[in-house]
């Protein structure tokens, strides 16, 4: 049916229509049950101008300052990075670990990470849950959200969680110039220093979209993820919990969003189920430390 829609259009529009249909189909068929992410493939896709494994693209109405949207490729945009753009260095100290891996020395570790907050509607309840279960997490906060809820940020730190940058405005960094990315990093340094008296230790680029130039402009390590239950697409706590638990493996980084009530609802199940399987919840920095990894500026970490 979709192809028939294209036939009526003139030649140039017809080509773009077919491209759009193929992309739409790929998103639809590829997105049914995402779990583990193969960053080696995603990074290659980024370099080739494909938006790759996107993180959040929803119509959330709780975040008035930015519209989550799929980073659509714009071939005629002269601001796009040059095609010779180099990929950043992917660092995985334990590649290809199976889900039944017993862990290093019998110790299984995993990091729960929350993006796009803090939200006064959902994050305090999440913090109550984490405190009640004595589980530590890492929050990749947005500058705009942090400025609106500085007390939640301070509470996250006071309760032992790690706070890092998800940039001020959720822009796709590979679409920005070096100077623009640098300005965003400086802006986050300012926001963090104002609220927490420290600079962010690392950044999670929105949509996981990064390359060597972005890493250089940020001047920080970049932290991605290895498990994506697509909690923004399926607002169902049982679905999110099941996807995380099924994909869990030693050293993994789990990506979810603390701005969704359904995700907060999934957290007790995630923590209890994974602890029953022997997992310890660590912050990203703790995960790096137990693996003996010193994170370097511009490096990309998605698994430890
Ligand atoms: Zn995000």
């Amino acid at each position: 049916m979709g192809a028939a829609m294209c036939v009526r259009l003139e030649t140039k529009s017809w080509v773009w229509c077919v491209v759009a249909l193929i992309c739409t189909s790929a998103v639809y068929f590829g997105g049914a049950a995402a779990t583990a992410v193969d960053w080696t493939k995603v990074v290659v896709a980024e370099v080739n101008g494909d938006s790759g494994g996107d993180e959040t693209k929803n119509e959330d109405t709780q975040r008035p300052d930015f519209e989550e949207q799929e980073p659509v490729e714009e071939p005629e945009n002269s601001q796009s990075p040059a095609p010779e753009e180099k990929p950043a260095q992917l660092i995985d100290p334990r590649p290809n670990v199976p889900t039944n891996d017993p862990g290093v020395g019998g110790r299984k570790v995993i990091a729960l990470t929350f993006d796009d907050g803090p939200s006064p509607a959902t994050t305090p309840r999440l913090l109550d849950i984490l405190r009640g279960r004595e589980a530590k997490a890492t929050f990749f906060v947005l500058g705009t959200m942090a400025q609106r809820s500085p007390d939640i940020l301070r509470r996250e730190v006071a309760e032992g969680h790690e706070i890092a940058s998800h940039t001020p405005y959720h822009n796709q960094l590979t679409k920005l110039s070096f100077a623009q990315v640098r300005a965003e990093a400086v802006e986050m340094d300012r926001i963090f220093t104002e609220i927490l008296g420290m600079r962010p230790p690392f950044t999670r680029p929105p949509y996981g979209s990064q390359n060597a130039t972005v890493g250089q402009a940020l001047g920080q390590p970049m932290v991605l993820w290895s498990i994506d239950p697509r909690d923004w697409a399926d607002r169902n706590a049982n679905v999110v919990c099941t996807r995380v638990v099924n994909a869990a493996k030693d050293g993994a980084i789990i990506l979810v969003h603390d701005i969704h009530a359904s995700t907060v609802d999934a957290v007790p199940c995630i923590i209890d189920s994974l602890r029953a399987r022997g997992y310890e919840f660590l912050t990203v920095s703790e995960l790096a430390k137990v693996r003996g990894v010193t994170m370097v500026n511009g490096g990309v970490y998605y698994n430890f």
Side-chain angles (χ1 to χ4, degrees):
M1 186 192 85
M5 284 158 46
C6 296
V7 172
R8 290 165 158 267
L9 300 166
E10 60 185 87
T11 310
K12 194 182 173 198
S13 305
W14 185 86
V15 171
W16 285 110
C17 187
V18 170
V19 168
L21 280 167
I22 289 167
C23 292
T24 307
S25 305
V27 167
Y28 180 80
F29 291 110
T35 48
V37 180
D38 184 347
W39 283 106
T40 53
K41 289 186 181 135
V42 171
V43 167
V44 169
E46 282 291 340
V47 172
N48 291 337
D50 192 314
S51 58
D54 307 326
E55 173 200 349
T56 46
K57 31 185 188 266
N58 55 42
E59 319 84 42
D60 202 303
T61 53
Q62 293 177 342
R63 287 162 290 162
D65 274 7
F66 72 97
E67 289 281 305
E68 282 283 11
Q69 53 187 328
E70 186 178 354
V72 181
E73 186 58 24
E74 293 162 24
E76 283 153 0
N77 182 353
S78 58
Q79 287 200 324
S80 295
E84 68 270 20
E85 194 62 76
K86 285 196 179 64
Q89 188 192 358
L90 285 170
I91 299 164
D92 181 357
R94 294 195 73 212
N96 306 318
V97 172
T99 53
N100 63 357
D101 187 270
V104 178
R107 185 182 182 195
K108 291 201 283 190
V109 289
I110 202 159
L112 193 48
T113 69
F114 295 92
D115 284 16
D116 294 0
S119 162
T122 44
T123 308
R125 185 162 66 88
L126 169 65
L127 290 171
D128 291 345
I129 291 168
L130 294 172
R131 185 169 58 187
R133 284 172 165 72
E134 295 182 15
K136 299 291 179 268
T138 302
F139 291 87
F140 290 92
V141 301
L142 282 172
T144 50
M145 300 292 272
Q147 285 177 306
R148 245 178 268 145
S149 303
D151 288 343
I152 300 179
L153 222 62
R154 286 189 275 262
R155 180 182 166 190
E156 288 170 350
V157 171
E159 297 186 357
H161 304 296
E162 182 159 45
I163 321 296
S165 169
H166 195 39
T167 76
Y169 315 110
H170 216 276
N171 286 325
Q172 189 181 358
L173 301 184
T174 50
K175 300 269 188 191
L176 303 184
S177 70
F178 185 95
Q180 286 171 319
V181 175
R182 186 76 214 117
E184 293 214 352
V186 169
E187 173 73 354
M188 280 309 267
D189 282 357
R190 189 188 65 73
I191 293 168
F192 266 61
T193 303
E194 196 175 286
I195 300 173
L196 302 174
M198 55 168 266
R199 295 175 59 225
F202 38 76
T203 291
R204 172 168 285 162
Y207 316 101
S209 185
Q210 45 71 33
N211 56 36
T213 304
V214 167
Q216 201 185 349
L218 289 172
Q220 289 180 348
M222 294 182 280
V223 175
L224 305 186
W225 58 88
S226 50
I227 297 174
D228 176 7
R230 296 166 58 84
D231 63 326
W232 49 268
D234 295 295
R235 309 284 179 91
N236 179 310
N238 288 332
V239 168
V240 170
C241 178
T242 301
R243 286 178 181 168
V244 169
V245 171
N246 287 345
K249 59 181 189 173
D250 181 45
I253 298 175
I254 302 162
L255 162 71
V256 284
H257 301 79
D258 54 319
I259 51 170
H260 304 311
S262 49
T263 298
V264 175
D265 293 339
V267 170
C269 169
I270 291 171
I271 293 173
D272 296 349
S273 305
L274 291 183
R275 279 193 172 151
R277 295 183 182 203
Y279 284 95
E280 280 176 61
F281 286 89
L282 303 183
T283 65
V284 168
S285 287
E286 289 169 342
L287 204 54
K289 197 173 173 191
V290 300
R291 292 294 185 240
V293 173
T294 302
M295 296 170 77
V296 296
N297 294 344
V300 179
Y301 303 83
Y302 56 101
N303 212 55
F304 283 100

